[in-house]
Amino acid sequence: MAMDPENAVAPTSKSANRLTTENDGEDLSCCGMILYAVSILICIVLFPLAPFFTIKVIQQYEKAVIFRLGKIRKGGAAGPGLFTFLPCLDDIHVVDMRTVSFDVPPQEILTKDSVTVTVDAVVYFRISDAVSSVCRVDNVKTATRLLSQTTLRNMLGTKSLTEILAERESISSDMQQILDEATDPWGVVVERVEVKDVRLPTNLQRAMAAEAEAHRDAKAKVIAAEGELNASKALKEAADVITESPAALQLRYLQTLSTIAAERNSTILFPMPIDMMKAFTNK
């Protein structure tokens, strides 16, 4: 789910909007009104010191969810900046609205083709609605982390090993969409999910390495055989050319002697012309 930075703190669902509007039209009870009046009176009496206890400042990246006598104060989350509260009546929960990342612990997963792999990932998320993140879930960060673990296991359990290794980007995208939909009622936006590493068992790694090595050996033998075939064709063509000109064979002999002599060898081989052997062969 993509959102503009300007709207990063806006509610993302109708249910989240209802949390801030349910109490807008409700007034405090009689007891609540009495406590409210007493708190105001105390602040007036202790005016020189009251600002130190009734004024709070939060950072630009934070929101404050204020509960007055157990109910969300009118106006929803306060901040960023300076706001006032009543120490005797208000309970403040400061929520960090920045993007948070966490590592999904390595999960041992049995794939669709019965292969056990260990997979870990990293998740980036942020809180878009402070009120929902406080009211709808006990600990939003822990809940998101546990949901990420179960989602990773459930998703990869339906895929084969080849699909996990070849489709990591699509797996990350699908997992991001599932987490974003599941955490939307909590006021959470899952921005990105990345599969970090896929670790295979040692025996499976050896088997795959042996298979790859055998494939390389077979390919090398095919290439060598093709080279031998091409070399034999070239030698046949050269032999046909030399056969047509007897003097070419003598020149080849001399070229070979010149090559041997250039290497400073103490032994020189002088080939016997094949024509001299034909006389003995015919007899």
Side-chain angles (χ1 to χ4, degrees), residues 1 5 11 17 37 59 64 81 89 110 115 128 160 163 169 178 191 247 257-258 263 273:
M1 179 181 295
N17 289 331
Q59 303 298 328
L89 303 181
L110 183 64
V115 177
S128 61
S160 63
E163 293 174 344
E169 293 184 0
I178 294 174
E191 296 180 339
L257 290 175
S258 176
E263 297 179 358

Side-chain angles (χ1 to χ4, degrees), residues 73-87:
R73 200 173 71 172
K74 293 182 180 180
L82 184 146
F83 64 92
T84 60
F85 66 98
L86 296 176

